Amino acid sequence: MSYNILGTNLNSNKQVKIASTRIFGIGPKKAIQVCDQLGPSDNIKVNKLTKYQFDQIIEIISKNYLVDSELERVIQRDIKRLISIGCYRGFRHNAGLPLRGQRTHTNAKTSSKLRYISFSSNISS
């Protein structure tokens, strides 16, 4: 049986607090908080949950946390805001370079590759 919470399939053989970390925006700490709010069953596995407990988990997560597409939208909006105001972090996002002071002389090869996009095939002579 497929256990789907907020668009994410959960592994049925794992504990709820471990399986729920697969949801984008739910890390280990938030997963433990959700399990504490759920009730006394601390080590219950996903396949042992009832329909009522699934509904409770969905309600707790959707009411208290930004997850999945909502969180992605907020992150993208923040990046667009940084780019639009022209700050250093926005410039680095736009250039595809590391933003938090990492070294780029020898590292960050992947992000440097993404900068060089060939437009020669689109130009007609």
Side-chain angles (χ1 to χ4, degrees), residues 15 24 33 39 54 59 93 97 102 104 108 122:
Q15 296 175 359
F24 183 72
Q33 290 173 352
F54 265 112
E59 181 183 341
H93 267 295
L97 294 169
Q102 292 94 335
T104 57
N122 295 338

Side-chain angles (χ1 to χ4, degrees), residues 48-79:
K48 302 291 184 191
L49 288 174
T50 63
K51 177 71 173 151
Y52 176 72
Q53 288 173 324
F54 265 112
D55 294 339
Q56 274 189 317
I57 290 173
I58 293 171
E59 181 183 341
I60 289 169
I61 291 175
S62 61
K63 186 171 69 172
N64 297 329
Y65 305 109
L66 283 176
V67 291
D68 211 24
S69 61
E70 299 170 8
L71 182 60
E72 288 177 9
R73 246 189 322 244
V74 169
I75 291 170
Q76 288 300 319
R77 188 184 66 217
D78 290 343
I79 291 172

